Amino acid sequence: MYAQLVKSEGTKSREEMSPEEIAFQERIDRGEKIEPKEWMPEGYRKTLIRQIGQHAHSEIVGQLPEGNWITRAPTLERKAILLAKVQDEAGHGLYLYSAAETLGVSRDDLLDKLHSGNMKYSSIFNYPTLNWADIGAVGWLVDGAAIMNQVPLQRTSYGPYSRAMIRICKEESFHQRQGYDIMMKMAAGTPEQKAMAQDAMNRFWYPALMMFGPSDKDSVHSAQSMQWKIKINTNDELRQKFVDQTVPQAHYLGLTIPDENLKWNEETGAWDFSEPDWSEFFAVIAGNGPCNEERLGARVKAWEDGEWFRDGLMAHAKKADARRAAAKHAAE
Ligand SMILES: [Fe+2]
Ligand SMILES: [Fe+2]
């Protein structure tokens, strides 16, 4: 299969590959999963650490904009649902940090890179959640875009990542439905509630489109990642699928997609739409989004506030070891 891909920067042709690299690529082409202790090219390991690490960071930073609304959810039921959803995201982070650790990187190291700004998380979480309808829009659009990205990753070539994705995707579809359910209530509510739903849609539409990453022509890592089946579809393919899925859902809600160029295209059988403002995307990625400082500050504070607890666990483990050693000594 890989021979069909256009050779681009960073992708090796068969002649340039070592025998190990050829054997590795052939396993991937046959659809075999690569497992932690098996041989893999250094680039494959590094790309996966970056991708899985960023993904893990996105899950835990993603708890922040929604956690912000747990105390203000309008009913007890909504509060319980939101609490469960935010807890799910913590669990996703943990599966993914564990998957990254199988590649020989420590969780402490990944967190250190997040806290020092040397590793990124999804740009979407640097936008604020200003009203209750935003929680609906986040579930519907943000988790919806996440599912679109993650469903193909269930077939990714790295075993631990692929298995983590299978569990995560089951929970993500519940997240999207709870978001859409909030939007249905708001859109069918009072004129003020419907206006809140439209306002949330207006603010989250383009940031959600940005979640698929830059346009294919500006995407640096695509060709090699696709050859290794770390990535299954291109950014633009997934973005198009997301738009095609979401437009009828917005129409059902009676909401307007904030894009004058949105138009059904008979020829392609898909929706034409405007690209997001990529200069905004790159500014947010570089740390200049509306909430970057607040989000990173919250993560660093949580890490620092948890130090006494980590120290306590280590001290307890040491004492337990010493006790076990003493008991063994006495028995001999
Ligand atoms: Fe998640
Ligand atoms: Fe989610």
Side-chain angles (χ1 to χ4, degrees), residues 192-214:
E192 288 82 1
Q193 286 172 319
K194 187 163 184 188
M196 283 165 75
Q198 182 63 55
D199 173 51
M201 159 117 235
N202 292 349
R203 282 179 291 106
F204 277 95
W205 175 250
Y206 287 104
L209 295 188
M210 293 176 198
M211 286 175 68
F212 299 95

Side-chain angles (χ1 to χ4, degrees), residues 255-314:
L255 297 181
T256 309
I257 299 217
D259 179 358
E260 284 175 1
N261 300 319
L262 188 82
K263 209 172 81 233
W264 178 251
N265 184 327
E266 280 295 342
E267 251 169 64
T268 58
W271 289 89
D272 289 341
F273 60 96
S274 304
E275 293 263 310
D277 174 358
W278 290 117
S279 63
E280 177 182 321
F281 171 77
F282 288 112
V284 174
I285 289 287
N288 302 316
C291 299
N292 294 59
E293 250 174 69
E294 185 186 334
R295 300 292 184 239
L296 205 53
R299 287 312 318 166
V300 171
K301 182 174 185 302
W303 177 254
E304 286 170 355
D305 289 352
E307 192 178 358
W308 68 271
F309 186 70
R310 293 190 300 278
D311 289 351
L313 282 177
M314 293 308 286

Side-chain angles (χ1 to χ4, degrees), residues 13 23 42 58 76 88 115 124 139-140 172 261-262 304 329:
S13 70
E42 219 21 56
S58 302
L76 181 60
D88 282 353
H115 298 154
I124 190 76
W140 172 35
E172 291 301 347
N261 300 319
L262 188 82
E304 286 170 355
H329 188 74

Side-chain angles (χ1 to χ4, degrees), residues 140-141 176 180 244-255:
W140 172 35
L141 301 173
Q176 192 191 19
Y180 196 69
D244 292 343
Q245 173 188 285
T246 309
V247 171
Q249 294 172 346
H251 289 165
Y252 181 79
L253 294 173
L255 297 181

